[in-house]
Amino acid sequence: MTKFSLLGLIRHAFGGPWPAQWSAASPKPRYDAIIVGGGGHGLATAWYLGSEHGLTNIAVLEKGWLGGGNTGRNTTILRSNYLWPESQGLYEHSLKLWESLSNALNYNVMYSPRGVLLLAHNHHDIQVARRHIHANRLSGIDNEWLTPEQAKDFCPLLNTSKNIRYPILGAALQRRGGTARHDAVAWGFARAASALGVDIIENCEVTGIDRDATGAVAGVQTTRGAIRTTRLGVSAAGHSSVLMAMAGVRMPLESYPLQALVSEPVKPAMPCVVMSNTIHAYMSQSDKGEMVIGAGTDAYNSYSQTGGLHISTHTLEAICELFPRVRRLRMLRNWGGIVDVTPDRSPIVGTTPVPGLFVNCGWGTGGFKATPGAGHVFAHTIATGAPHPINAAFTLDRFRTGRLIDEAAAAAVAH
Amino acid sequence: MLLIHCPVCAMDRPECEFRHAGEAHVARPADPNAATDEEWASYLYHRSNPKGVIAERWRHVHGCGRYFNALRNTVSDRILVTYRSGQPRSEGTP
């Protein structure tokens, strides 16, 4: 792997194509560990397994192409302003890793801490936002309250008029929140993992999970043949229920289409990320200039990777009211990703009833922000066979014990 | 937006008249005091979430107000059949 540097950039400007950034591997008969799912989470897990735990005889199996699932379909928002201590620990761990990720990977993931503004439109919103701010500050996580005027100063595009249907009464701002380039995250992890000797195998769909006489994982069946392993990490987002069913494990998950849209590219106008859960709209501007807009999930579970038009229409109506100056922008693309949602809207990262089978799922509508943190603690879980203190509470068993991490009712923010 | 046949009203109506109400045929433990934690977790939280045909509940909130069941393919979102609550899971023929 050639290290990226200013000198290298200048040299390549004068000729010669860039080499492939990771090798296209073919499946070997046996690996020490296999990760199912070549999105950001799976690739990050592979890299941390190699770089922190010395496990390099491992493979990442991806049924399509790298980062072609939710990694390439999300709205790239990063933040850690969650309510409960368990969530704060996990998401803040991730946000800290984002801050140094480009250096760690020698790959520019374009982490941009431009600030995430969460709008309050009614009395309840104000109470919830301020409760979050207090909870975050007690945990050492930055979050602050802005008046409508201060919010307008921070994001001049905002319509802070009092004469709209849902006037802005204030906002919570996490300045360290922001965005990152989603494709670069998958590519950066893939490149760094490949350099350590990890096999990254695309177009390889897992069709079955083999178990030995004791019930432990013995390998997987794939569209490219059988592969043996004793440690299997499932990191398959919307398809987690399907994969876990291959090992006979029923999951507390339902998969929904979540939509996003981008506009035609325009000059820089939107300095930060704005989220409004109450009227369900969020928007930021990509470095290419497109307005990136997140909509909601459909009401029913589905694997269609598309969503109802009335869902995105609802969001665009809210966007037009909040940002009247973007009303005449045309939307270039609209797509859906399949997100796996848990009953308490918190992820599941840990062991399963099947020995050798580990799962990282249930990130719902907000898994991108957790990519490095989830990969880091999931790698620890796979390598040592026990969870890291940071993901210890995010067990599959919590739905039996009742120790839920209820961000569904508590957060009142789109995840 | 789906076009859903309400078996009570006997009419095809747009999805926005209905509320989705989760997987169908998930039975509450018959004797709550005797149910184990595993049985409660299964009833409350564990779902089949199939990639294929699912039996699910809908409620015609802006119509008759009644719950009913539907078989729907979760890949194509095509509804195969709808049938009244209380009936066993349909075989798929309308």
Side-chain angles (χ1 to χ4, degrees):
Chain A
M1 181 178 82
T2 350
K3 197 169 155 62
F4 288 126
S5 63
L6 182 61
L7 202 64
L9 192 66
I10 295 168
R11 199 182 309 125
H12 272 279
F14 290 101
W18 288 96
Q21 294 300 314
W22 62 85
S23 5
S26 293
K28 287 193 271 193
R30 179 178 200 97
Y31 290 98
D32 293 338
I34 288 177
I35 310 296
V36 185
H41 282 237
L43 294 163
T45 306
W47 184 65
Y48 286 115
L49 275 173
S51 61
E52 295 214 345
H53 303 282
L55 274 174
T56 53
N57 181 33
I58 61 177
V60 177
L61 308 183
E62 166 56 45
K63 74 171 174 180
W65 66 93
L66 280 198
N70 292 352
T71 299
R73 292 166 189 266
N74 66 84
T75 50
T76 77
I77 298 170
L78 314 177
R79 59 185 181 86
S80 64
N81 49 356
Y82 282 73
L83 182 64
W84 299 112
E86 295 88 348
S87 317
Q88 289 169 357
L90 185 55
Y91 290 102
E92 180 64 12
H93 177 56
S94 196
L95 195 58
K96 289 214 171 86
L97 290 171
W98 278 113
E99 287 166 354
S100 57
L101 193 61
S102 293
N103 277 332
L105 295 176
N106 181 233
Y107 201 93
N108 188 1
V109 300
M110 297 164 80
Y111 165 61
S112 163
R114 58 184 68 180
V116 173
L117 205 54
L118 176 70
L119 303 180
H121 300 278
N122 55 43
H123 188 66
H124 173 74
D125 283 359
I126 294 174
Q127 289 180 327
V128 169
R130 297 192 78 123
R131 184 183 178 201
H132 273 67
I133 290 170
H134 295 316
N136 290 157
R137 291 169 78 124
L138 281 171
S139 304
I141 295 171
D142 75 302
N143 201 351
E144 60 195 275
W145 177 253
L146 302 188
T147 63
E149 295 72 31
Q150 289 170 320
K152 177 86 176 169
D153 281 346
F154 193 74
C155 182
L157 274 190
L158 270 184
N159 179 5
T160 50
S161 155
K162 290 183 169 55
N163 298 323
I164 59 177
R165 176 67 184 84
Y166 296 100
I168 295 166
L169 302 183
L173 170 65
Q174 186 177 29
R175 292 183 191 271
R176 288 160 61 239
T179 60
R181 172 82 203 281
H182 49 4
D183 292 328
V185 175
W187 299 336
F189 276 119
R191 171 175 175 270
S194 182
L196 293 175
V198 173
D199 278 357
I200 294 166
I201 304 163
E202 295 173 88
N203 299 310
C204 180
E205 182 175 355
V206 171
T207 54
I209 295 175
D210 297 333
R211 318 260 296 269
D212 66 16
T214 65
V217 166
V220 288
Q221 299 291 326
T222 77
T223 49
R224 296 178 68 173
I227 311 174
R228 297 188 64 74
T229 189
T230 51
R231 273 181 282 193
L232 186 64
V234 171
S235 188
H239 281 72
S240 298
S241 292
V242 177
L243 274 152
M244 297 301 283
M246 293 174 191
V249 181
R250 253 170 89 81
M251 299 296 287
L253 292 174
E254 290 187 290
S255 298
Y256 295 90
L258 178 69
Q259 292 183 74
L261 312 89
V262 291
S263 74
E264 56 190 325
V266 289
K267 289 274 170 61
M270 180 74 183
C272 60
V273 180
V274 171
M275 306 175 61
S276 166
N277 189 58
T278 301
I279 56 176
H280 214 289
Y282 40 109
M283 187 167 96
S284 62
Q285 189 172 18
S286 75
D287 293 307
K288 281 190 287 183
E290 304 149 326
M291 293 298 170
V292 182
I293 294 167
T297 58
D298 277 287
Y300 48 86
N301 51 332
S302 170
Y303 290 83
S304 62
Q305 284 201 332
T306 183
L309 193 58
H310 58 294
I311 304 290
S312 44
T313 306
H314 174 79
T315 289
L316 288 175
E317 284 167 356
I319 291 285
C320 288
E321 181 171 89
L322 286 178
F323 307 99
R325 267 179 282 181
V326 306
R327 272 184 186 167
R328 299 188 63 186
L329 284 183
R330 283 161 290 196
M331 292 296 137
L332 287 193
R333 295 187 299 282
N334 174 18
W335 64 89
I338 301 301
V339 298
D340 46 326
V341 178
T342 57
D344 62 358
R345 303 299 190 273
S346 286
I348 299 165
V349 187
T351 57
T352 70
V354 177
L357 180 64
F358 304 89
V359 69
N360 172 26
C361 68
W363 290 93
T365 59
F368 178 73
K369 67 174 80 71
T371 303
H376 184 252
V377 297
F378 193 41
H380 178 98
T381 308
I382 294 173
T384 64
H388 190 281
I390 290 176
N391 67 317
F394 293 87
T395 60
L396 179 56
D397 197 42
R398 72 177 186 268
F399 297 97
R400 184 184 62 82
T401 61
R403 298 189 74 85
L404 305 186
I405 304 160
D406 195 0
E407 292 288 346
V413 289
H415 295 238
Chain B
M1 187 175 298
L2 306 177
L3 190 62
I4 302 173
H5 180 81
C6 174
V8 183
C9 301
M11 279 195 287
D12 292 341
R13 305 298 296 171
E15 180 194 332
C16 54
E17 287 191 9
F18 298 85
R19 181 98 19 102
H20 186 256
E23 189 169 348
H25 308 299
V26 178
R28 184 182 163 88
D31 180 1
N33 290 326
T36 62
D37 287 353
E38 283 77 11
E39 282 162 353
W40 278 116
S42 177
Y43 166 68
L44 289 171
Y45 302 125
H46 294 163
R47 295 294 177 261
S48 55
N49 196 20
K51 188 176 185 176
V53 176
I54 186 172
E56 64 188 4
R57 300 195 310 156
W58 288 87
R59 186 175 174 219
H60 197 178
V61 282
H62 299 300
C64 59
R66 304 292 293 273
Y67 283 95
F68 62 92
N69 296 333
L71 289 189
R72 181 174 53 88
N73 186 311
T74 60
V75 180
S76 64
D77 288 339
R78 181 175 294 277
I79 292 175
L80 308 176
V81 61
T82 57
Y83 53 99
R84 286 184 178 239
S85 287
Q87 293 177 355
R89 180 176 166 136
S90 165
E91 298 298 322
T93 43

